[in-house]
Amino acid sequence: MYGGGNSFEAMKATALTDEDPIKLAEFEARIDRGEKIEPSDWMPQLYRKQLTRMIEQHAHSEIIGALPEGTWITRAPGFKRKLALMAKVQDEVGHAQLLYSAAETLGKPREEMITDLINGKSKYSNIFNYPAFTWADSCFISWLVDAGAIVNQIANSKGSYGPYCRALERICAEESFHLKYGHHCVIHLATGTKVQREMMQEAFNRWWTPMMHFFGPSDKISVHSEILMRWKVKMSSNDECRQQFLDMYVPKIWELGLTLPDENLRKDPETGEWQFTEPDWEEFKRVINGDGPCNKERLAVRRVAEERGAWVRQALLAPKAKYVAPLA
Ligand code: FAQ
């Protein structure tokens, strides 16, 4: 567990002993100068490992994140909502491809990443393991999950690894469209009929805890933050992103006449910090380790998609290979 500057030194003394100290010092000087590290540049193995883990997890989150909203495309109220949601879901899948490409520059093949996802070895964002029961759930995701993602992604886009930052710049531009679409959807329900307002409020009651988990464990117990921030992979801490999200969106939620299921949620007038009930990190741990309401369903969908798409990849990648008929 890294916590506080001296733990970084302690980690360096253990996890970096095999690295060439001169090259490591040059690398860290480049990071301190704000230079971008490119795939062919020298980098410590721990930098490569941490970046691969984080970018791969981000890519998985995008492609799994498309699933709860994807189920609402055919049921979205009206043609315009269907069109917009279809475009958004296509964008999210495209973000995954951008991120898998960025992760591949670090040496892990896409097929291996997808296999690790399907086998539960790699993680993806906690929030996509909850069911989208109503249309209001889809609206919550489109507005506030995208909003949370933008807070975190804008920060990370100013980081040190070139391919990741360039992918994030492209992604953030599209996410800002998603945010406007999602906000429009929530406003429509929150200012609509009594049934619509109640449906929106009920969605907020269910999604608020997973949303507070979304930014990761508090800085006190975050495992990777110290090293990721030292090497400018992560430009804001989990708590900083959570605070920024609360500051930007709680007033907007309240002005719609919606409430949030946390009686301790308030902005401290002295410090400007948002106070809130400490999220249940045991639930978080269960969900990110495969025991959430939808983990199994999400991975099963990815597994079927992978199996059904195998023949296309074979045809494209190895035209002379024996033809494998698609699953019935
Ligand atoms: N869910 O030490 P930390 C999106 C894990 S994009 C699951 O704080 P770190 C777009 C973490 O892996 C999705 N696991 O870790 C969209 C580690 O476990 P490990 C979100 C989580 O990496 C919108 C352990 O807990 N954005 O939503 C989560 O420094 C709408 C200890 O945690 C990104 O992925 C979590 N929420 O900080 C799509 C951006 N939080 O690996 C469709 C890139 C933590 O040791 C619809 N990622 N863990 O086994 C990051 O910025 C960071 O990885 C964090 C976590 C902030 C997510």
Side-chain angles (χ1 to χ4, degrees), residues 61 64-65 68 124-130 141 145 214 294 298:
S61 302
I64 295 279
Y124 55 91
S125 191
N126 69 296
I127 202 152
F128 299 122
N129 285 308
Y130 292 83
I141 295 171
V145 179
F214 177 83
C294 295
R298 301 284 187 241

Side-chain angles (χ1 to χ4, degrees), residues 52 56 100 103-116:
T52 303
E56 174 183 351
Y100 283 130
E104 280 183 313
T105 65
L106 292 154
K108 185 170 182 179
R110 185 176 305 223
E111 288 69 22
E112 194 182 325
M113 290 187 254
I114 301 287
T115 303
D116 287 351

Side-chain angles (χ1 to χ4, degrees), residues 129-321:
N129 285 308
Y130 292 83
F133 287 128
T134 71
W135 169 243
D137 291 38
S138 175
C139 300
F140 180 98
I141 295 171
S142 296
W143 181 28
L144 289 171
V145 179
D146 277 78
I150 289 176
V151 165
N152 162 289
Q153 289 166 173
I154 286 182
N156 290 352
S157 70
K158 300 179 179 64
S160 61
Y161 190 58
Y164 188 38
C165 296
R166 291 188 288 272
L168 287 174
E169 278 165 23
R170 165 82 184 277
I171 289 169
C172 288
E174 293 181 344
E175 299 284 17
S176 49
F177 154 74
H178 301 168
L179 184 71
K180 287 185 176 46
Y181 156 75
H183 194 197
H184 190 263
C185 292
V186 172
I187 290 170
H188 183 82
L189 295 183
T191 58
T193 65
K194 184 170 174 301
V195 169
Q196 288 174 321
R197 283 199 306 277
E198 284 170 357
M199 179 171 64
M200 194 69 246
Q201 181 60 61
E202 196 271 332
F204 269 85
N205 295 343
R206 275 187 289 109
W207 286 88
W208 192 248
T209 297
M211 193 67 228
M212 292 297 279
H213 288 152
F214 177 83
F215 299 95
S218 64
D219 294 349
K220 300 185 290 296
I221 55 173
S222 169
V223 172
H224 302 297
S225 284
E226 176 96 24
I227 180 70
L228 289 175
M229 292 185 77
R230 174 68 187 81
W231 285 341
K232 293 184 183 172
V233 175
K234 213 176 172 180
M235 300 301 278
S236 297
S237 75
N238 299 355
D239 288 339
E240 285 167 346
C241 285
R242 204 174 349 256
Q243 283 290 330
Q244 187 185 338
F245 171 80
L246 292 172
D247 214 31
M248 291 173 75
Y249 294 99
V250 171
K252 288 185 172 64
I253 294 164
W254 282 345
E255 80 189 4
L256 286 172
L258 293 162
T259 60
L260 291 166
D262 178 358
E263 62 194 10
N264 298 319
L265 181 66
R266 64 180 189 84
K267 185 165 183 173
D268 182 323
E270 258 127 64
T271 63
E273 289 268 301
W274 284 85
Q275 311 295 325
F276 50 85
T277 306
E278 190 63 22
D280 174 358
W281 294 115
E282 288 313 308
E283 174 185 342
F284 171 74
K285 257 189 258 171
R286 276 198 312 279
V287 170
I288 70 170
N289 288 304
D291 190 23
C294 295
N295 296 58
K296 292 177 182 53
E297 175 192 329
R298 301 284 187 241
L299 294 188
V301 170
R302 284 308 307 146
R303 182 176 289 107
V304 167
E306 196 59 18
E307 286 165 358
R308 290 200 172 153
W311 70 277
V312 177
R313 291 191 297 281
Q314 280 185 10
L316 290 172
L317 296 176
K320 294 186 186 49

